[in-house]
Amino acid sequence: MSAPSQDCGNHRIRQVAPDGEVTTIAGSGQPAHRDGHGRHACFYNPCGIAIDYVNNDVLFVADYSNNRVRAVSRSGLVSTIAKDADSPHDSPLDSPYGIAVHMETPSNGGVAEATIFVSSYHSHSLARISAGGRVSIIAGEDGGCAEGKFNAPNGLAVDADGVLY
């Protein structure tokens, strides 16, 4: 199985096969924001990636310098799923760096939905992005956790119970 990786300074998302073969799956190499297919899309310092293995192998990308979270479909289609707020003081996505995805299956046995967690490097916070694209700060500068103060958080992971590390 190939492993995707971000190539931050080259503004691309790459795939590395077990034999070491490297393939660009998204990103033109130009620092910009453009949704689109494969190399027609543009990133600006993609810093973190997480994969939704349950629903269509969607790859989520923390697009640091664009202040956005992007999705790359299995076919290579890049779309923006969340962006920073209009006011920098309200932005839960100020330089998103780390990203993790947790799959929640509804109690009625329906389709699992992805909850995306992202660290915002410059706003010193952690945010949650709902399946509908709503962004809310859960810890950090203005988050709901009084003990949760961060300084430039980056890497994230989430376990099977939804506990964020």
Side-chain angles (χ1 to χ4, degrees), residues 51-106:
I51 299 173
D52 166 359
Y53 287 107
V54 177
N55 295 324
N56 302 317
D57 290 333
V58 175
L59 175 71
F60 296 105
V61 179
D63 197 357
Y64 181 86
S65 293
N66 277 323
N67 297 324
R68 297 169 194 262
V69 173
R70 317 280 292 283
V72 182
S73 72
R74 188 168 199 54
S75 69
L77 182 62
V78 177
S79 59
T80 299
I81 60 168
K83 64 179 186 158
D84 62 340
D86 293 331
S87 167
H89 302 293
D90 299 325
S91 180
L93 291 178
D94 185 0
S95 302
Y97 199 97
I99 191 165
V101 63
H102 175 66
M103 299 306 298
E104 297 181 40
T105 303

Side-chain angles (χ1 to χ4, degrees), residues 61-64 66-69 81-99 116-130 133-144 150 152-154 156 164:
V61 179
D63 197 357
Y64 181 86
N66 277 323
N67 297 324
R68 297 169 194 262
V69 173
I81 60 168
K83 64 179 186 158
D84 62 340
D86 293 331
S87 167
H89 302 293
D90 299 325
S91 180
L93 291 178
D94 185 0
S95 302
Y97 199 97
I99 191 165
I116 302 160
F117 297 97
V118 62
S119 62
S120 291
Y121 193 84
H122 288 135
S123 67
H124 311 291
S125 63
L126 304 179
R128 175 187 300 121
I129 303 171
S130 69
R134 183 168 181 261
V135 180
S136 56
I137 295 174
I138 58 171
E141 286 296 307
D142 296 315
F150 299 97
N154 47 71
L156 294 179
L164 188 61

